[in-house]
Amino acid sequence: MSAPIVHGGGITAAAAAFGGSPEDWLDLSTGINPCPVALPDIPARAWHRLPDRHLIDEARRAARDHYRSGEILPLPVPGTQSVIQLLPRLVEAGRLVGGTDNRIAVTDNRVAVTDDRVAVVSPTYGEYARAFTSAGFGVDAVDDIAAIGAGHRLAVVVNPNNPDGLIWPAETLIALHDRMKAADGLLVVDEAFGDTDPALSLASRAPQLSNLVIFRSFGKFFGLAGLRLGFVIARSDILARLEDWLGPWAVSGPALSIADSLLRSDVSPIRGRIDERCAGLHGVLTGAGLQISGGTALFILVADARAGDIYTHLCRHHILVRKFDYAPEWLRFGLPPDPAADRRLGEALQRFER
């Protein structure tokens, strides 16, 4: 198994290395809305009882209307990370349905290396490549959709991409889907950061795209990452497999209740607040003379030859941002929660010796 990937949000480790209590740190290392929405009322029965079918169905209908997925009822999952780890099984299941291909051999609960390959448009969220390499698949990290070919059993595109914010037009992704379908492959589009710009989503086209799987994050946009909730949009047999593999009661009753309420609410004030916070961060970074090289409404990517030194300097001021071992010149800044946090970041950056 490959080594764990270091993600954002590691305040405990940062505080251990640079001092202070985690509560005193300013965490800008994630792409999560820093202004969490107010929680709706949660019925006592959601806490008391196992999540019954009607609660799941209500959340799915709310997700359908929010994501505009037409006849598809999105499947609630305990965070999209839970289904990323199931993708290798989905590829295996799809291939073995006909019983004609026996290239996978399972020994001691490990999958032997096969000649099947998947493509991941990169650089991006690292857990996709890790999930497939751990399952014995060959992974091609491609920098362009055009490099994805008929030999790939599955392709992954994060749109907008994390961490550079690259956006692929819908028609380009649909053309890729059609190529994958012709080769009996699947296209996974991760829209974790798609809520701030719904026009980018393929959700409304999903009923016509049978070999498409869409992942949507709930916690990033609503600022409730600790809820561990996401949704999958795909054809019914794919959703049924994922639901079966996740097992009963995969998503808690309170999470389903919160989703049902918030997905039916007016989210325009949330988008407005995120845009306001993004503008504040943009002003701080440009005011400090940093070069912005990408991002989304929920984070900004900076490219600087001194990124490692800036990272350490900010840690000494108890401010955590995201660095990347594969791109040492990059730093990703999440949104500060308020103008006071903008000022704190700005003052720390001004103290950096150039």
Side-chain angles (χ1 to χ4, degrees):
M1 180 176 291
S2 58
I5 295 172
V6 177
H7 297 288
I11 285 292
T12 301
F18 292 93
S21 65
E23 293 77 13
D24 295 332
W25 277 65
L26 176 59
D27 185 7
L28 305 181
S29 66
T30 72
I32 299 166
N33 179 357
C35 307
V37 301
L39 290 176
D41 291 335
I42 303 173
R45 64 182 179 275
W47 296 101
H48 174 63
R49 301 182 59 185
L50 290 170
D52 208 345
R53 191 75 227 178
H54 77 280
L55 193 58
I56 299 171
D57 291 343
E58 288 170 1
R60 296 185 74 168
R61 285 191 287 268
R64 175 198 60 194
D65 295 344
H66 178 81
Y67 297 128
R68 301 177 182 177
S69 59
E71 65 195 51
I72 297 177
L73 291 172
L75 176 70
V77 298
T80 51
Q81 180 61 44
S82 67
V83 281
I84 289 174
Q85 295 173 188
L86 293 176
L87 286 176
R89 292 182 65 183
L90 192 62
V91 175
E92 294 161 20
R95 182 183 60 250
L96 296 177
V97 164
T100 59
D101 191 326
N102 297 310
R103 287 176 290 174
I104 286 286
V106 180
T107 305
D108 296 331
N109 296 319
R110 292 172 297 182
V111 181
V113 175
T114 79
D115 57 356
D116 285 326
R117 304 197 68 80
V118 300
V120 180
V121 179
S122 303
T124 194
Y125 184 60
E127 294 291 347
Y128 284 102
R130 182 170 185 261
F132 279 103
T133 55
S134 295
F137 287 79
V139 177
D140 295 323
V142 301
D143 60 6
D144 195 299
I145 281 176
I148 300 172
H152 292 117
R153 300 287 304 171
L154 180 144
V156 176
V157 181
V158 180
N159 196 51
N161 190 44
N162 172 23
D164 59 9
L166 179 66
I167 293 172
W168 293 96
E171 296 308 318
T172 301
L173 294 175
I174 291 172
L176 173 60
H177 165 271
D178 293 344
R179 296 205 317 268
M180 297 298 297
K181 181 179 179 179
D184 197 26
L186 290 174
L187 171 61
V188 174
V189 178
D190 184 332
E191 296 181 349
F193 293 97
D195 282 270
T196 56
D197 191 354
L200 298 175
S201 178
L202 287 181
S204 65
R205 313 283 284 274
Q208 290 77 48
L209 302 173
S210 60
N211 286 39
L212 174 67
V213 179
I214 299 174
F215 290 164
R216 296 297 297 243
S217 168
F218 182 87
K220 289 181 176 62
F221 178 72
F222 290 101
L224 300 173
L227 198 63
R228 306 311 303 133
L229 178 63
F231 288 88
V232 182
I233 301 170
R235 68 179 194 244
S236 59
D237 64 306
I238 292 176
L239 296 184
R241 285 185 184 274
L242 295 175
E243 186 174 26
D244 178 57
W245 292 335
L246 286 169
W249 316 302
V251 178
S252 73
L256 293 168
S257 177
I258 290 170
D260 183 31
S261 295
L262 293 183
L263 290 174
R264 297 182 190 279
S265 68
D266 178 11
V267 298
S268 56
I270 303 174
R271 291 195 182 105
R273 180 63 171 161
I274 289 172
D275 289 342
E276 174 194 319
R277 291 287 74 237
C278 188
L281 175 61
H282 189 282
V284 170
L285 297 177
T286 56
L290 295 177
Q291 178 184 345
I292 294 174
S293 63
T296 70
L298 284 168
F299 61 81
I300 293 177
L301 185 69
V302 163
D304 196 295
R306 309 156 299 171
D309 293 334
I310 295 172
Y311 174 85
T312 301
H313 170 81
L314 291 176
C315 282
R316 288 173 178 155
H317 287 77
H318 297 172
I319 300 173
L320 184 63
V321 297
R322 177 74 159 87
K323 63 179 180 177
F324 300 88
D325 55 0
Y326 61 81
E329 74 281 8
W330 282 358
L331 291 176
R332 191 188 67 192
F333 290 75
L335 306 185
D338 50 45
D342 289 344
R343 291 190 293 272
R344 179 177 172 182
L345 174 62
E347 290 168 1
L349 288 172
Q350 293 299 329
R351 294 191 185 103
F352 178 71
E353 294 184 6
R354 290 169 172 79

